[in-house]
Amino acid sequence: MGIVYVECCERRHCCCDCCDDRRERCPYPVRRNESVTCAGFRTALAARGPVLVPAANLTFIFTNAAVRYDSSFCPTLGTGYRTPTVAELQSIATSLITAPIGGTPLCPMVVWALSGLEPVLVEVVPATGSVQILRTPSQHCRAFRICVTSTNG
């Protein structure tokens, strides 16, 4: 079962601020049938702090927060941190694990990335390393944030 789209306003019967248009739908940040252990996996990765991925020449931080897109978010984590491109996210996808060696891959989730200069929602499946661009109705949709910086070395 893939990512399920929901009516962003169904929880708010008056003012909807999660989508540009009341008819648009945002994807859930996680799959509806997600196991309860998945939240623990995300917490474990967030607790690791900066993770070096030598093969990609990148360091990333997983924030374990499903938030709206904000271009100023990643720079607050440190000098040089930014939203990853779809290609960069692809290169670090299999490194989204709970521990440096022998860790469990995170469960599938929706993450913010950049396609060119445009923010897009992507579904990341760390177990297989797949990254798929989803329909992005609004920057007000909530998705997990991963921030990257180039590794000097």
Side-chain angles (χ1 to χ4, degrees), residues 45 48 51-62 82-97 109 111-112 124-127 129-131 145-149 151:
L45 178 58
R48 288 178 57 191
V51 176
L52 174 67
V53 184
N57 195 32
L58 294 170
T59 298
F60 73 85
I61 295 176
F62 176 72
R82 57 187 166 68
T83 302
T85 64
V86 174
E88 288 171 330
L89 201 50
Q90 177 74 54
S91 69
I92 64 170
T94 58
S95 299
L96 300 173
I97 56 176
M109 61 189 161
V111 175
W112 282 109
V124 178
V125 182
S130 73
V131 174
R145 290 305 303 261
I146 296 172
C147 300
V148 299
T149 187
T151 304

Side-chain angles (χ1 to χ4, degrees), residues 4 21 59 66 68 111 114 130 133 143:
V4 176
D21 178 33
T59 298
R68 297 171 180 166
V111 175
L114 293 176
S130 73
I133 296 176

Side-chain angles (χ1 to χ4, degrees), residues 23-123:
R23 293 180 304 261
E24 291 290 343
R25 295 179 178 194
C26 294
Y28 278 132
V30 298
R31 292 184 176 176
R32 280 194 178 205
N33 62 347
E34 180 178 86
S35 164
V36 294
T37 59
C38 293
F41 294 160
R42 286 190 295 274
T43 299
L45 178 58
R48 288 178 57 191
V51 176
L52 174 67
V53 184
N57 195 32
L58 294 170
T59 298
F60 73 85
I61 295 176
F62 176 72
T63 62
N64 196 23
V67 296
R68 297 171 180 166
Y69 182 77
D70 179 357
S71 61
S72 65
F73 180 84
C74 289
T76 65
L77 300 178
T79 304
Y81 278 97
R82 57 187 166 68
T83 302
T85 64
V86 174
E88 288 171 330
L89 201 50
Q90 177 74 54
S91 69
I92 64 170
T94 58
S95 299
L96 300 173
I97 56 176
T98 57
I101 299 172
T104 305
L106 268 60
C107 301
M109 61 189 161
V110 176
V111 175
W112 282 109
L114 293 176
S115 178
L117 297 175
E118 293 296 315
V120 294
L121 294 170
V122 296
E123 181 184 31

